[in-house]
Amino acid sequence: MSEDGNRKEKPKIGRSLFSPRRYLIFFLLIAFVVTTCFLLFLHFLEIRAEDVHKAALLTFGNVLLLSFLGATFDGIRQKYTVEKPVRQILDATQRFTRGDFSARIEQRQDPLRHNEFDVIIADFNKMAEELSGIETLRTDFIASVSHELKTPLAVMQNYATLLQAPDLPEEKRIEYGRAIAEASRRLSELITNILRLNKLENQTIFPDSIRFNLGEQLRECVLSLEDVWEQKELDLDIDIDDVMLNGDPELLTLVWNNLLSNAMKFTGPGGLVGVTVKEEEQWAVVSVRDTGCGMTAETGRHIFEKFYQGDSSHSSQGNGLGLALVKRVIDIMNGEISVESAPGVGSVFTVRLPK
Ligand code: ADP
């Protein structure tokens, strides 16, 4: 890069905060004022002109020397207590604005000697930590989105090429056509979920809060998945009370559909899925449990992260955004979600919503 370019990126700070010239003007001014006052004082005492001259010169010289010594000492002190931290802060903010999110400022160890600069430095380091976290999340998110988009697209491209082969048997044509349809369904589901999540993360006003029967909503969600539980011959254990709730029913349908379809997806044929809806003081409590594959504690720690899929054997049936969406909706409703699970035993998801 050219020297000019470098200068543009990092502006040089040529002038010191405490220039000697400014000090000199300041000393002269003080010496002049003090000497004039002293002369006036001597004049009132009617002292001889010769002695007054001597005294004036002596006073001027002494005041100049004293203020010079004092200011030199003060300048050195300021250099270390003000100029050094200011330069460190400027240097770090400049690195930060150039996109170097690893920029941090070294903090003084002894807290007893901390001043306002140490508070600014601590706040800067905290802000830098937060921003670099967001940046990592953003780049991870983009990497995951591109990967997830590319997979079904590659499947569609491959099968579309295969379909072009002459004399393709009828059953192969049907098989490839189905694979393309399935990949495009996954792609469309993925895009819908990304858009939903993006909307929920940026939305702060939720006007669709109405009073509705949560129990009825859960019953409808279970019924809408009839095909799945019938096909897998799952046992259902339903204990749903009529609980009235204020909230956005459309958003909550997303939550129940995700929890229920996960419970059914991760439970083998003949297993059990249970749903309860109860009222506990000011809370509506919904729990969805299953006797499926369960998960390890390590998986449990990550399940609400975007694109996280703990169980690779079912990865083709989802995109790892379901529980991220669930968590976001619950957060918006000021609710809580917890999970208890053990590998090979099953899982229980419990949602608590303020009524
Ligand atoms: P997806 O279901 O698309 O993989 P989710 O965000 O819904 O994505 O779930 C994330 C991960 O959480 C799953 O991949 C799985 O490992 C784990 N998980 C969610 N629900 C269950 C469940 N009921 N039983 C076992 N594991 C589950």
Side-chain angles (χ1 to χ4, degrees), residues 262 265-266 290 294-295 303 308-311 318-320 322-323 347:
N262 272 352
K265 177 164 79 181
F266 292 108
D290 63 67
M295 59 187 113
I303 52 173
Y308 180 82
Q309 292 192 294
D311 184 291
N319 43 48
L323 287 181
S347 313

Side-chain angles (χ1 to χ4, degrees), residues 199 203 205-212 246-251 333:
K199 187 174 166 223
Q203 200 171 340
I205 301 165
F206 298 90
D208 300 333
S209 184
I210 55 168
R211 196 164 171 75
F212 68 98
N246 284 324
D248 183 337
E250 204 183 313
L251 280 184
M333 307 227 157

Side-chain angles (χ1 to χ4, degrees), residues 209-215 217 242-249 252 256 282-286 333 352-355:
S209 184
I210 55 168
R211 196 164 171 75
F212 68 98
N213 188 332
L214 182 67
Q217 185 182 46
D242 284 324
V243 178
M244 297 305 290
L245 186 80
N246 284 324
D248 183 337
L252 278 174
W256 315 134
Q282 288 310 304
W283 299 91
V285 184
V286 178
M333 307 227 157
R352 294 163 68 81
L353 296 166
K355 292 205 300 149

Side-chain angles (χ1 to χ4, degrees), residues 76-137:
I76 294 169
R77 193 183 62 87
Q78 301 252 33
K79 199 157 184 72
Y80 287 97
T81 56
V82 180
E83 199 163 321
K84 191 178 163 210
V86 167
R87 278 183 190 277
Q88 281 179 320
I89 294 169
L90 276 176
D91 194 42
T93 45
Q94 280 169 4
R95 277 176 62 195
F96 217 76
T97 47
R98 288 201 308 271
D100 177 3
F101 290 98
S102 66
R104 301 286 185 278
I105 309 167
E106 204 183 319
Q107 186 103 46
R108 280 194 296 180
Q109 293 301 322
D110 185 2
L112 289 176
R113 290 174 61 210
H114 279 188
N115 57 22
E116 283 84 350
F117 285 115
D118 295 283
V119 178
I120 295 173
I121 288 171
D123 284 349
F124 175 89
N125 286 342
K126 206 168 149 197
M127 178 199 76
E129 201 63 46
E130 292 284 322
L131 285 175
S132 55
I134 293 171
E135 177 61 13
T136 315
L137 279 181

